[in-house]
Amino acid sequence: MGKNQAKKTDLPLHKIIMVGSGGVGKSALTLQYMYGDFIEEYDPTKADSYRKKVTLDGQESFIDILDTAGQEEYAAIRDNYYRSGEGFLCVFSLCEQESFQHTQEFRDQICRVLDDEKVPFILVGNKADLTSDRQVSTREGELKAKEWGCPYMETSAKTRQNVDEAFCKLMRSIRDRKEAKGGGKAGASKAPKKKSSCMLL
Amino acid sequence: MFGDKAAATVPRSRAGSSVTPPARSTDPRGSSAARASPLAQSPLTPAAQAAASPERGKLGGLFGKGSDRVATPQATAAADGFDAEGFVHGMLQQLPSEDAIQQFYNSLADAKDLAAADLQRNVFRNYNDFVVISKEISNILFPTLRFLESDMLYLRGLLTELKDVQDSLRPEADEREETLAAALLDDPLASPEQKAAAAAEALAKQRAKEEELMESREAQMKALYNNIDGLQKILSESKTRYLVREGSKNRYWEVSPTTFKQKDMVHLYLFNDSLVVVSWKKSLITGKARMVAETAWALNEIGFIDMKDSPDVTNAFKIVKHPDVSIYRTETLEEKRAILGAIKRITDDILAQKRREKEVAKDASSKAKTVSAPIGTAAPEDGQKAKEKLAAVKDNLSITDYRWLLELPDELDVLVAHRDFDNAVANLEKAGKILSSVDVDTPRVQALRTSVEKRIETLAKLISLDLASPVSTKSQVQENIDRLLRLGLGDQARDIFLTARTKTVRHRTRQLKFDGDIAAYMNDLAEITFRLIRNTCDWYGGSFRDTTMASGFMKWVTGEITHFTDTLRRQVFDSHQRFSVIADCLMSTLDHCQQLRDVGLDLTFLLDKIVLADIANAIETHSQSCEETIAAAVRNDKFEAVAPRTEFFDERNLSFDIPIPRMSESAYQLFKVLTDFASDVGVLMSMTLYNKIVSSLSSMFSVFINTTHSALDKDLTITQYCVILTNATFVIDHMLPKVKSQLQEQFERPIPELEEDCARHKQTLEAIRAKFVSQCVSRIAKLEYNFGKVDYTNSAAILDTMLPTDAVLKLVLALNKLVADMDRVLDRKDLVGRVLEQFFGNISTSPSSWETDKGPRKFGFGGVQTLVLDIHFCLRAAEVYITEPANEAANAVCEKALRTYFSQNKDLSVPLRTGEWYDKRVDEAMRKYGRNLGALLAAQPTAAPPQMVQ
């Protein structure tokens, strides 16, 4: 472990937070992505974190997924988690209109806590396999995503449809944003320094 | 949790029997009621039920639920149809004596002990079964081994926790007794004394238990404060705090969040509201290891994250308190399950308690509201309202937001004091956003809202003051407007801003110097007004992007312009300034108005509209004075032709197809007036003024032409008549069409009014010509060649060297002068022809030519021939201008003279000279006088001499 450590810490780490109402399948998506298993049981999550080494566009990196509680009563605690997130996978159930409505609250809370409208974000309609129970149309989802300026995907944690794609897409936008920011910072750091010398006078 | 209740029955019997004094008659009844429930339990306990039915689902889910089910044994009892209360009640009524009751109580207590033991046995027996079964299942059935295992471990964790939580469960068990006592209180059959006694008893008991509990907790806390160094510093003492989970037995390791390297061993002490991390440190002095408190977290401020095992780290969990993240790991998965479970239980309790508090607050507020509500309201409505109010107590305001909002007023006061308006506004904006996201109006939300609104008001007042300051720069103004807009006070910002601008306009206006030069003053005033309007527009557009704000601005602009035009009217029109001044003022006004176009405003039309009537009046007055000027000029004109002033026309940018003729002063005066008028009014050329301008011009022309026409009646020289005719001709034939075409261009349409004028004045010109001709004729006849006075009576023979008479020579010279005087713009041929025609016509028809006072005029032999020679000479000299009728008229004169001669000298047979002789004599005369007749002969071709009629 010690030997690998230096190497490991060099790898980029992308912190993803799963958000969405209770019972929409955040944990199921996470577990499907992490372990390739589908869990049918519902055991309300409080907050679980997962970590895995993945290869994103040929580059090795770590993904850290924080699977949060969707239940209403934990709403107050969410702030604490959101601050550590670099990207958000906002899940709703295609079979539950209410969960779709709630995504707005999650989005608002995230934007408010991070004070950032452009944080990497992806809207995911889960349970796409249950076509007969569907309550939210693809168009509705796309419209919402357009309004937020984020991608929209429909997944099924059961059939693994679009699961990897959703996570990869989010990771890419996190990575791109980091690169953009890193470049910007290096250039910008010089100017303010000069300015501050004037302030002394 | 599931083990708690099972274990609770064991200490229960002991605690119950030791506390309950048996002497009181009512007491055992209450206690025995409590003991009754275990009797009714079915042989298979809930835990057993849960454990014995693994086929119902996967074990993870089952045990989560199973534990819940065991947590409420009473409910299970009730579900089985057992009515403990009814049972006890019935029994009590059957029992005859105090002793019997005591006995019944004892039997109940025994039964309870038995049941407890049974329950415990069941739990353990089923646990063993469960372990066996689940092992099999995990080996054979389930692919998701990991989760099964973890769930099993979780169960084990819960079971081992049984011992730890025994103490904390005790009060809960006692509570159950109390609820039963309370049930007794509600018993309708119990007497009031019984009830009161039961209540007092329950209260006393509860108090005693509480005190006991408090004491033990206090002692525990005290011990902790003594044993752990530095705990005092990081965890202040609190009466309500107590230890939930003793940490010294369990070991945890801190793990680096970045490298996952395991660090120091720590203990975690879990309190009911906080978590304390304690580590071991070796004392430098004694060399002994002591416990030192490292960190304390308030539970409601931190988040716990269960870290699933990964290659880097196992059995770990995260504690997040932004921005800090700490990771701890346990030795075993069950230990992790245990602590996370305990933490979850406490946080759930905290949440539940918060909910309860809210409920209480809601009750209070709804009560207060129902009291204040009018009594007359209908009952169902009240119910409805109460429901709404119930709903209104819970809001979705998060704790962090709430705290932030609570601190906001103070922070705002500081920011405002530092005049850091931007941050203040940003904070208020954020507050508004949070408050608007709150879905229900709870009392605290209302309180926060009013406090925020109050701050907005004060802040708005300050910003408004700043905004109204006339010295602020554009950026300052825009910042202030922006702030007010962000505070949602757009209307207020607009009004303040515009009022301030109005003030600025007025102030600057008053600074203007007024030294009598109205044009300059108005120019400055227009400059200021429109420049400020323009700037305002610029700033306004930059700040108020909302299009609904535009009309307010337009209203302001209109008001400012009206104010300006009021001044303009007062200064310019009402004081009857000269028109050139008016024109200057208007021009500069329009000039400055143009700059509004830069910002997308064209308000020229507005100006036009407002000052139109004034301008029309001014034009009217001006045109009248122009007419007077023209009339006077014509009246006073000496009609002396002046050399063409080409520079005069060049200056005015006028060009004509023909060379400028020699005109007199009055014509130039007219041109000057016209061009001045045009340039004055030209600025204001607009369709609305079309009629005014055209009619003014038309009447100016008319005045000129009419006065000129009447000037011909005066007794003047032919030369002067020529000048007058030249003036009239040039004005009518050239000036008028020129003006017309220019106006056409200006208005981009034909000018029918002037077309009519042209036609009308052409006729006038014809009349003028006729008058000119007759005036010339009478002048020539009177002064140069008065036919009646010429002596043609000579009866002697005519000499061969005879030349025309001096009289006719004078006539010819006069004609020559006439031609010379006539400008080329005039039709000489026509005019001179008409003069000659009329001249000869007059001679032949006028009686004074042929009659004298003493009868018919006498013509002698030589005289008549001289007359013929004279006429011949005249015709020859003016050959070019002789028209057919003129020729006829001249011949008629000769004929008439000859007839008169023949009738007077019938006996004379001497032949008269023939045509050849006349021709020769005329040639001779032409040779002699020709060089004096340059003008007359200039156009003469070398044509044959006119035919002499005999």
Side-chain angles (χ1 to χ4, degrees):
Chain A
M1 194 168 151
K3 222 180 175 184
N4 290 341
Q5 218 160 16
K7 204 178 112 198
K8 268 178 188 166
T9 45
D10 281 349
L11 293 180
L13 171 66
H14 304 308
K15 294 181 195 161
I16 289 177
I17 297 186
M18 310 286 291
V19 298
S21 303
V24 297
K26 294 182 295 298
S27 303
L29 280 173
T30 312
L31 292 173
Q32 180 64 271
Y33 179 68
M34 292 297 295
Y35 305 122
D37 280 337
F38 177 61
I39 315 299
E40 197 122 19
E41 281 69 43
Y42 178 51
D43 176 19
T45 312
K46 198 180 169 199
D48 293 343
S49 103
Y50 300 84
R51 194 181 166 89
K52 184 182 172 181
K53 192 195 253 176
V54 292
T55 309
L56 181 68
D57 300 331
Q59 192 199 8
E60 284 202 325
S61 52
F62 275 104
I63 178 168
D64 186 313
I65 303 175
L66 177 61
D67 183 14
T68 63
Q71 283 75 32
E72 199 68 37
E73 58 253 46
Y74 297 112
I77 307 170
R78 287 189 203 126
D79 279 17
N80 243 329
Y81 301 138
Y82 287 173
R83 292 205 173 87
S84 67
E86 293 171 336
F88 292 84
L89 207 132
C90 184
V91 189
F92 67 93
S93 165
L94 290 167
C95 310
E96 197 192 337
Q97 181 69 36
E98 212 188 347
S99 73
F100 179 58
Q101 305 301 337
H102 279 148
T103 54
Q104 184 69 51
E105 291 165 27
F106 285 101
R107 166 88 187 175
D108 290 348
Q109 195 181 3
I110 289 164
C111 291
R112 181 172 52 73
V113 168
L114 299 185
D115 193 20
D116 179 6
E117 301 266 332
K118 289 189 180 121
V119 66
F121 195 94
I122 182 166
L123 181 64
V124 167
N126 193 28
K127 308 196 187 177
D129 53 302
L130 300 176
T131 42
S132 56
D133 297 336
R134 196 169 171 127
Q135 287 184 8
V136 183
S137 71
T138 306
R139 201 178 141 62
E140 280 177 273
E142 281 169 349
L143 273 179
K144 180 70 82 183
K146 201 178 169 192
E147 182 191 319
W148 293 344
C150 73
Y152 170 68
M153 284 187 129
E154 293 189 353
T155 60
S156 165
K158 192 172 187 176
T159 65
R160 208 183 165 92
Q161 169 200 337
N162 266 344
V163 171
D164 288 348
E165 289 83 344
F167 279 98
C168 285
K169 193 168 233 179
L170 184 57
M171 274 194 285
R172 275 192 200 104
S173 69
I174 294 172
R175 180 197 62 197
D176 293 347
R177 189 175 154 96
K178 278 180 187 163
E179 281 169 5
K181 262 194 176 169
K185 264 181 190 167
S189 60
K190 274 196 174 175
K193 259 187 188 169
K194 271 184 186 169
K195 233 183 183 178
S196 65
S197 67
C198 296
M199 299 291 283
L200 290 172
L201 298 170
Chain B
M1 194 175 281
F2 116 98
D4 307 349
K5 299 301 182 318
T9 53
V10 182
R12 163 62 59 96
S13 59
R14 239 184 304 122
S17 54
S18 66
V19 171
T20 315
R24 294 287 292 274
S25 65
T26 46
D27 171 49
R29 278 202 267 174
S31 305
S32 58
R35 304 298 179 268
S37 55
L39 282 183
Q41 276 183 344
S42 64
L44 191 62
T45 62
Q49 277 178 349
S53 53
E55 68 279 4
R56 276 166 61 188
K58 290 185 191 171
L59 288 164
L62 181 113
F63 276 94
K65 284 160 195 158
S67 62
D68 285 346
R69 201 171 290 200
V70 180
T72 56
Q74 279 172 298
T76 318
D80 290 350
F82 173 71
D83 179 8
E85 226 176 277
F87 170 76
V88 173
H89 198 248
M91 289 301 283
L92 284 173
Q93 275 180 335
Q94 286 165 18
L95 294 170
S97 67
E98 189 86 21
D99 287 345
I101 292 171
Q102 184 64 47
Q103 218 171 357
F104 174 61
Y105 167 70
N106 286 340
S107 74
L108 280 178
D110 288 348
K112 188 194 161 280
D113 283 352
L114 268 171
D118 191 36
L119 182 65
Q120 203 171 20
R121 253 200 317 281
N122 270 329
V123 169
F124 286 114
R125 191 184 64 216
N126 285 308
Y127 173 64
N128 286 333
D129 287 348
F130 161 66
V131 170
V132 172
I133 292 165
S134 60
K135 252 183 194 161
E136 279 205 8
I137 292 167
S138 67
N139 286 337
I140 303 157
L141 285 172
F142 293 101
T144 54
L145 181 66
R146 190 182 355 265
F147 303 107
L148 269 176
E149 251 176 18
S150 69
D151 279 322
M152 277 158 53
L153 290 168
Y154 184 42
L155 183 71
R156 257 169 72 190
L158 288 174
L159 287 171
T160 45
E161 218 184 330
L162 247 140
K163 272 183 197 165
D164 292 344
V165 292
Q166 264 183 12
D167 286 1
S168 62
L169 266 169
R170 200 178 285 148
E172 213 175 312
D174 290 338
E175 247 170 34
R176 205 165 60 177
E177 263 176 50
E178 278 144 29
T179 51
L180 282 163
L184 183 73
L185 281 175
D186 290 338
D187 188 346
L189 294 171
S191 69
E193 301 91 67
Q194 278 180 326
K195 278 187 185 179
E201 160 70 13
L203 222 81
K205 224 196 280 177
Q206 193 181 342
R207 206 169 294 142
K209 260 178 279 177
E210 269 175 13
E211 274 167 21
E212 190 189 354
L213 189 66
M214 293 290 278
E215 272 170 29
S216 74
R217 280 174 178 173
E218 260 177 56
Q220 210 172 19
M221 290 305 289
K222 220 175 186 175
L224 283 179
Y225 277 119
N226 285 336
N227 289 340
I228 302 172
D229 280 5
L231 185 59
Q232 202 97 35
K233 271 184 226 157
I234 55 173
L235 194 69
S236 59
E237 274 187 76
S238 158
K239 290 242 160 160
T240 53
R241 178 174 302 120
Y242 56 90
L243 187 66
V244 174
R245 199 165 189 276
E246 158 75 2
S248 57
K249 288 173 204 155
N250 297 306
R251 298 194 297 172
Y252 301 87
W253 281 271
E254 202 180 341
V255 175
S256 158
T258 48
T259 60
F260 296 106
K261 202 175 170 184
Q262 194 162 315
K263 296 202 280 195
D264 292 343
M265 191 270 280
V266 295
H267 295 301
L268 294 180
Y269 281 76
L270 183 62
F271 297 91
N272 64 333
D273 63 348
S274 43
L275 182 73
V276 173
V277 181
V278 174
S279 64
W280 286 93
K281 292 259 161 69
K282 258 190 188 166
S283 167
L284 285 172
I285 307 159
T286 58
K288 262 188 180 175
R290 289 175 305 114
M291 287 207 281
V292 178
E294 301 258 315
T295 333
W297 285 297
L299 285 181
N300 56 12
E301 285 174 4
I302 54 175
F304 293 91
I305 297 174
D306 179 4
M307 289 179 77
K308 303 293 174 185
D309 293 352
S310 72
D312 298 322
V313 66
T314 52
N315 302 337
F317 61 94
K318 247 185 230 177
I319 294 176
V320 180
K321 185 191 180 190
H322 192 76
D324 302 323
V325 177
S326 311
I327 299 179
Y328 296 95
R329 70 177 295 267
T330 59
E331 277 179 309
T332 59
L333 186 54
E334 35 197 290
E335 176 49 34
K336 178 171 115 175
R337 294 278 179 199
I339 186 146
L340 284 178
I343 289 166
K344 184 174 158 74
R345 237 183 355 263
I346 293 164
T347 44
D348 284 350
D349 282 352
I350 292 173
L351 287 172
Q353 189 167 346
K354 248 182 217 151
R355 221 167 293 142
R356 268 201 303 280
E357 275 168 15
K358 278 181 198 165
E359 218 111 316
V360 171
K362 162 194 74 186
D363 283 348
S365 74
S366 66
K367 256 181 216 161
K369 274 183 190 166
T370 25
V371 167
S372 65
I375 301 157
T377 46
E381 223 176 299
D382 272 350
Q384 186 75 26
K385 270 187 192 163
K387 233 183 207 173
E388 281 168 17
K389 267 156 213 157
L390 278 179
V393 174
K394 200 184 165 206
D395 56 52
N396 55 357
L397 200 58
S398 71
I399 305 163
T400 42
D401 285 347
Y402 181 64
R403 286 218 182 122
W404 185 80
L405 284 171
L406 274 181
E407 287 162 9
L408 182 63
D410 295 336
E411 198 183 334
L412 280 175
D413 289 343
V414 173
L415 286 173
V416 169
H418 284 114
R419 298 187 74 76
D420 187 353
F421 292 153
D422 276 330
N423 276 327
V425 170
N427 277 335
L428 279 170
E429 245 182 338
K430 190 178 163 195
K433 215 165 155 192
I434 293 172
L435 284 175
S436 67
S437 71
V438 174
D439 46 5
V440 281
D441 253 8
T442 52
R444 64 172 191 169
V445 172
Q446 281 165 354
L448 287 172
R449 198 162 279 154
T450 41
S451 92
V452 166
E453 273 161 12
K454 222 155 83 194
R455 304 294 143 167
I456 287 179
E457 210 175 290
T458 32
L459 186 59
K461 224 180 261 168
L462 281 168
I463 296 174
S464 303
L465 270 178
D466 266 18
L467 181 57
S469 158
V471 292
S472 21
T473 64
K474 176 176 176 176
S475 58
Q476 283 172 327
V477 166
Q478 280 186 335
E479 270 169 21
N480 283 326
I481 290 174
D482 220 41
R483 287 168 188 150
L484 285 178
L485 280 176
R486 280 161 66 194
L487 289 176
L489 298 169
D491 285 355
Q492 193 180 331
R494 182 195 62 206
D495 292 346
I496 292 167
F497 173 61
L498 292 180
T499 320
R501 295 301 292 170
T502 305
K503 269 187 197 149
T504 311
V505 174
R506 300 284 174 284
H507 179 70
R508 296 272 186 83
T509 306
R510 266 193 289 280
Q511 283 179 330
L512 282 178
K513 272 187 194 149
F514 186 73
D515 53 6
D517 186 346
I518 288 180
Y521 175 75
M522 286 312 295
N523 185 30
D524 291 348
L525 184 65
E527 164 83 42
I528 285 173
T529 307
F530 289 104
R531 168 77 56 195
L532 287 174
I533 289 176
R534 194 205 112 115
N535 288 352
T536 308
C537 184
D538 221 18
W539 300 9
Y540 193 90
S543 293
F544 296 92
R545 284 178 195 83
D546 189 353
T547 43
T548 53
M549 291 287 193
S551 90
F553 175 68
M554 284 319 293
K555 204 176 143 213
W556 179 81
V557 171
T558 316
E560 285 308 303
I561 289 183
T562 315
H563 185 264
F564 170 78
T565 49
D566 284 348
T567 317
L568 182 75
R569 184 171 299 131
R570 212 169 39 246
Q571 294 290 347
V572 175
F573 294 113
D574 292 355
S575 60
H576 300 291
Q577 293 294 324
R578 279 177 301 116
F579 194 79
S580 62
V581 174
I582 296 177
D584 276 356
C585 293
L586 288 175
M587 195 146 79
S588 53
T589 303
L590 288 173
D591 228 35
H592 291 302
C593 191
Q594 287 294 315
Q595 62 178 306
L596 289 186
R597 282 196 185 183
D598 301 349
V599 288
L601 274 178
D602 189 353
L603 293 170
T604 324
F605 77 95
L606 187 67
L607 276 176
D608 278 358
K609 212 168 94 187
I610 297 173
V611 296
L612 182 67
D614 297 302
I615 294 176
N617 282 336
I619 291 176
E620 178 76 44
T621 341
H622 181 55
S623 104
Q624 270 170 16
S625 79
C626 287
E627 284 164 28
E628 276 160 29
T629 317
I630 292 165
V634 176
R635 265 198 309 278
N636 300 328
D637 197 359
K638 299 267 188 314
F639 299 112
E640 280 167 3
V642 292
R645 298 181 189 160
T646 43
E647 78 283 348
F648 175 91
F649 292 102
D650 288 345
E651 267 170 31
R652 287 161 179 75
N653 246 335
L654 284 168
S655 62
F656 294 93
D657 306 335
I658 53 150
I660 308 298
R662 295 158 51 85
M663 288 172 288
S664 73
E665 205 52 56
S666 67
Y668 284 101
Q669 201 69 44
L670 171 74
F671 301 148
K672 191 173 176 302
V673 168
L674 281 175
T675 46
D676 285 355
F677 181 83
S679 71
D680 285 351
V681 180
V683 200
L684 316 166
M685 288 280 188
S686 66
M687 273 332 275
T688 42
L689 288 171
Y690 166 84
N691 279 329
K692 201 82 233 161
I693 292 168
V694 169
S695 73
S696 297
L697 286 171
S698 161
S699 64
M700 274 183 239
F701 274 109
S702 297
V703 164
F704 177 81
I705 290 162
N706 290 338
T707 42
T708 307
H709 189 181
S710 51
L712 278 176
D713 292 333
K714 287 196 227 167
D715 189 13
L716 300 168
T717 63
I718 289 177
T719 317
Q720 282 172 319
Y721 290 140
C722 282
V723 171
I724 291 174
L725 185 62
T726 310
N727 285 352
T729 308
F730 185 76
V731 166
I732 291 169
D733 282 348
H734 299 281
M735 196 68 194
L736 187 54
K738 187 91 198 167
V739 168
K740 189 186 77 185
S741 72
Q742 279 192 348
L743 276 182
Q744 262 174 5
E745 253 171 55
Q746 198 97 41
F747 287 114
E748 292 170 336
R749 53 166 280 187
I751 317 282
E753 292 86 345
L754 285 187
E755 302 273 6
E756 274 170 33
D757 275 7
C758 281
R760 194 158 48 83
H761 290 311
K762 279 250 153 59
Q763 285 174 3
T764 323
L765 182 61
E766 204 38 58
I768 292 173
R769 278 199 189 120
K771 193 173 237 171
F772 167 79
V773 169
S774 65
Q775 285 285 24
C776 285
V777 169
S778 70
R779 210 109 313 239
I780 293 168
K782 199 166 120 198
L783 299 174
E784 318 297 342
Y785 183 75
N786 197 339
F787 179 72
K789 300 267 166 64
V790 182
D791 181 18
Y792 289 120
T793 54
N794 179 20
S795 53
I798 192 159
L799 294 174
D800 272 351
T801 55
M802 185 69 189
L803 284 171
T805 56
D806 286 347
V808 87
L809 190 62
K810 258 175 101 180
L811 167 69
V812 171
L813 283 172
L815 287 173
N816 183 52
K817 188 162 191 300
L818 173 66
V819 171
D821 283 344
M822 277 204 277
D823 196 275
R824 264 189 296 181
V825 78
L826 301 175
D827 188 351
R828 290 176 181 172
K829 199 162 179 179
D830 174 61
L831 287 169
V832 175
R834 278 163 69 183
V835 167
L836 285 167
E837 183 185 325
Q838 204 176 344
F839 181 70
F840 289 118
N842 280 355
I843 291 173
S844 71
T845 52
S846 161
S848 64
S849 307
W850 313 106
E851 300 287 336
T852 61
D853 302 342
K854 300 155 230 165
R857 184 172 174 183
K858 291 240 169 28
F859 288 97
F861 174 73
V864 78
Q865 287 183 82
T866 312
L867 168 72
V868 173
L869 179 63
D870 280 354
I871 303 275
H872 203 147
F873 172 65
C874 176
L875 291 178
R876 173 73 177 275
E879 196 177 351
V880 187
Y881 301 100
I882 299 296
T883 57
E884 198 60 26
N887 199 7
E888 271 167 28
N891 278 335
V893 172
C894 290
E895 204 181 313
K896 204 163 180 175
L898 284 170
R899 275 180 209 287
T900 313
Y901 164 75
F902 283 126
S903 67
Q904 285 170 356
N905 304 288
K906 281 171 189 143
D907 47 339
L908 222 71
S909 57
V910 186
L912 298 175
R913 300 279 186 180
T914 58
E916 278 158 53
W917 179 80
Y918 288 118
D919 285 343
K920 267 185 205 156
R921 293 324 306 157
V922 169
D923 284 344
E924 180 66 30
M926 288 304 285
R927 266 195 298 279
K928 191 172 178 190
Y929 304 119
R931 57 173 184 277
N932 294 330
L933 304 173
L936 204 54
L937 300 177
Q940 196 157 28
T942 47
Q947 278 295 291
M948 188 69 202
V949 181
Q950 200 66 38

